Amino acid sequence: MMRTFATKTEGPAIMELAQQDAHVCNLVPQTVSKLHKKERTQHRLVVIGELTLPLEEDPYRRFAASTLPDVITSASTVREAFEGAACSCAQTACVAVVAAGVVLHHTWDVITTIRGTSSCIFIVLWHPDATEDPALRIQAFHHGANMVTFHPRHLEAALSKVADQRGHGSLRCEWCGLSELSVSEYWSHQPLYHIYEDNLEGECQVCRRFTYNLAVHLHERHCPSGPFEEDRTGLIAVVVVHRQQDNKFLMVQEFAQQGFWVPGGGLDEGESLRQGALRECMEEAGIEVELRGVLQVEYDMTRGPRGWRSITFYAVPKESNPAVKTVPDFESAGACWVDVSKLSTIPLRSKAIPLTWFPRLASGYPVPQLQLPEACKQLFHDVQF
C-alpha cells in the first residue's frame, strides 16, 4: 500500500477538490471508498476549495462526510489546505482528484496551484466531458493534470496503480522526483504520470546506459516480463472510427505533447492487417471496433530495409457508447470523440487523415468495401488481410 502523504502512516492520501458543481461527482467518493475498503488501508479525504452549498444541502459533501472519516471542507484557499495537509511529496504517492462540473470555474487555477505544490502528485481531472472535449483534455494536461476521466472504473484502476507504488525501491523518477521506486514500479509509474510530457535523454538508473529516449528505453529494456525490442515490420494499420449517431470520430491523445491522431501503428510480426487495426484500437483507445471498409492505401518501398506500407480502415464502435480509454499508459494518454468542427482548434500529430476523411465521412461519403483494392493486392502479398 502507498505511504500516506497527510499523516505519514500506511495508507493512501486522496486529495479531492469539490467545486460548485461537485454534486455531479458523487461517483468519486464512492470509487475512493470502494478502493480503500478493498485495500483495507487507512485513508484521508481532503476536500479543497470553497463550496456554495452548505454541507446538508450538497449530496456530494454529505456523502463524503458520512462515508469517509477526516474530511476537511473549510479551507480558505487551495494552497493553504493542501500545504496544511502535506508534509513531504518526494517520498509519497499522493492523488489529487479535481472534481469539476460542466462549468470549469477556476479549475485551471486550482490544478496549477496543486501542481505548484509538488511535481509528484498524481492529479486527476474528473469531468463529464472527459472523452467528448479534446480541448479540455489538452488544457488539463497543459496545466498539470496527469489524467482526465469521468469513469469510476478507470479512476479505480488509476488509484490502484498509484497504490502499487509501495516505496521500497531505490530509484528516483527523472520527471517528477518521486523516490524509492522499484524497477517494476518505475516502469508503471513513468507512463501513468508522464506519458504526455517531453521525452528525456540521459543515463538509465537501472543499467547505467546512456539513451536518447528514457521512456522508450525503460519500457522496452526493463519490462517486468523481460526485455524486448519492438519489431519494425514496415507495415502500418490505421483506423478511422466513426460514431455515426452524432458524427464524431475517435482520436487518440498521443505521447509527449504530440496532440491527437487516429488509432494506428505498426503491425507485429505475423499479424494480419485487420488484427493489427483491431489491436491498435484497443491499446490506444480502449474500445472494440467493427471494421467495415478500406479507405486508402499508401506505400513507399524505398523507406527502410523493408519499405513502408500503410492501410487505413473505416470502422464503427461495437457498442453504441463505449467507455473509451482514460487511464494513461505507454500507448497513449487516453482517447476522445472529436467533432469535425473542432479539428482546427486542437493540436494534431498529423493532419492528413483527419482533415481528409473526417469531413468526407461526416457528409455521407460512400465507404469502400472491406477488402484490398485489386491494384494493391500484390503490394501486400506477404501479409494476411
Side-chain angles (χ1 to χ4, degrees):
M1 62 188 71
M2 64 178 139
R3 294 187 300 166
T4 302
F5 180 81
T7 62
K8 289 187 175 178
T9 60
E10 292 295 309
I14 306 300
M15 311 293 289
E16 183 126 12
L17 169 77
Q19 287 186 260
Q20 293 181 15
D21 301 306
H23 58 275
V24 304
C25 303
N26 288 342
L27 286 174
V28 175
Q30 292 175 15
T31 301
V32 172
S33 178
K34 179 181 177 182
L35 176 68
H36 291 152
K37 186 181 235 183
K38 180 184 73 172
E39 306 233 342
R40 295 185 175 85
T41 60
Q42 296 177 350
H43 57 283
R44 179 186 179 107
L45 175 68
V46 179
V47 180
I48 307 172
E50 301 279 87
L51 296 181
T52 56
L53 293 175
L55 179 62
E56 61 273 11
E57 296 180 15
D58 190 317
Y60 173 85
R61 294 176 66 191
R62 188 169 63 249
F63 182 91
S66 64
T67 307
L68 301 174
D70 200 12
V71 179
I72 299 174
T73 59
S74 58
S76 59
T77 67
V78 172
R79 183 176 295 278
E80 177 185 340
F82 200 88
E83 293 181 343
C87 299
S88 172
C89 289
Q91 296 180 336
T92 60
C94 180
V95 177
V97 181
V98 179
V102 177
V103 180
L104 286 168
H105 188 57
H106 299 314
T107 297
W108 306 135
D109 289 341
V110 169
I111 292 177
T112 300
T113 299
I114 296 174
R115 176 56 67 215
T117 305
S118 171
S119 60
C120 304
I121 301 165
F122 187 74
I123 301 176
V124 181
L125 173 62
W126 177 267
H127 193 276
D129 291 333
T131 57
E132 297 292 333
D133 186 346
L136 169 80
R137 297 188 62 85
I138 294 295
Q139 282 275 63
F141 279 85
H142 172 75
H143 284 90
N146 304 96
M147 174 179 173
V148 183
T149 192
F150 199 63
H151 197 291
R153 180 168 51 83
H154 295 184
L155 176 61
E156 183 177 356
L159 294 180
S160 295
K161 288 186 176 183
V162 174
D164 284 339
Q165 298 172 154
R166 302 174 186 275
H168 297 153
S170 60
L171 303 179
R172 179 180 181 274
C173 176
E174 281 95 347
W175 281 262
C176 69
L178 186 66
S179 61
E180 300 185 0
L181 296 167
S182 68
V183 176
S184 61
E185 288 169 353
Y186 194 14
W187 185 86
S188 176
H189 163 92
Q190 196 283 326
L192 179 66
Y193 281 62
H194 307 297
I195 190 61
Y196 204 63
E197 297 180 33
D198 290 335
N199 293 323
L200 298 179
E201 63 178 46
E203 182 182 84
C204 172
Q205 297 177 64
V206 182
C207 64
R208 297 303 175 186
R209 294 181 182 177
F210 180 86
T211 175
Y212 288 101
N213 193 319
L214 281 168
V216 172
H217 174 85
L218 180 65
H219 180 73
E220 294 185 352
R221 304 312 302 170
H222 302 295
C223 177
S225 61
F228 70 95
E229 188 169 341
E230 186 176 331
D231 294 328
R232 307 294 179 186
T233 62
L235 291 161
I236 310 296
V238 178
V239 191
V240 174
V241 184
H242 188 189
R243 194 170 68 182
Q244 296 174 328
Q245 62 263 38
D246 59 2
N247 252 345
K248 284 189 172 184
F249 295 87
L250 186 63
M251 300 202 78
V252 173
Q253 189 175 356
E254 298 281 352
F255 60 92
Q257 301 188 57
Q258 294 191 76
F260 286 91
W261 199 49
V262 293
L267 264 65
D268 293 338
E269 199 70 52
E271 197 172 37
S272 73
L273 296 172
R274 284 178 289 184
Q275 287 172 340
L278 296 175
R279 175 182 53 77
E280 289 290 343
C281 286
M282 179 55 67
E283 288 180 350
E284 295 188 346
I287 68 168
E288 293 184 336
V289 302
E290 178 187 337
L291 302 177
R292 291 191 176 179
V294 173
L295 297 177
Q296 67 181 29
V297 172
E298 300 173 282
Y299 63 93
D300 181 354
M301 300 311 292
T302 66
R303 286 174 57 177
R306 305 173 71 171
W308 177 85
R309 293 167 287 175
S310 175
I311 182 170
T312 301
F313 289 96
Y314 173 81
V316 297
K318 277 194 172 182
E319 300 178 21
S320 59
N321 191 26
V324 301
K325 176 180 177 179
T326 60
V327 181
D329 61 17
F330 186 77
E331 299 296 336
S332 72
C336 191
W337 295 104
V338 180
D339 188 88
V340 174
S341 64
K342 302 296 184 182
L343 288 176
S344 61
T345 67
I346 59 174
L348 300 175
R349 180 180 177 182
S350 176
K351 297 181 179 180
I353 291 177
L355 295 186
T356 299
W357 287 107
F358 288 11
R360 289 183 186 178
L361 294 165
S363 300
Y365 183 88
V367 178
Q369 292 183 330
L370 184 60
Q371 63 183 28
L372 280 171
E374 193 65 35
C376 298
K377 288 184 177 179
Q378 184 57 32
L379 182 66
F380 292 95
H381 70 279
D382 57 339
V383 60
Q384 290 186 351
F385 180 67

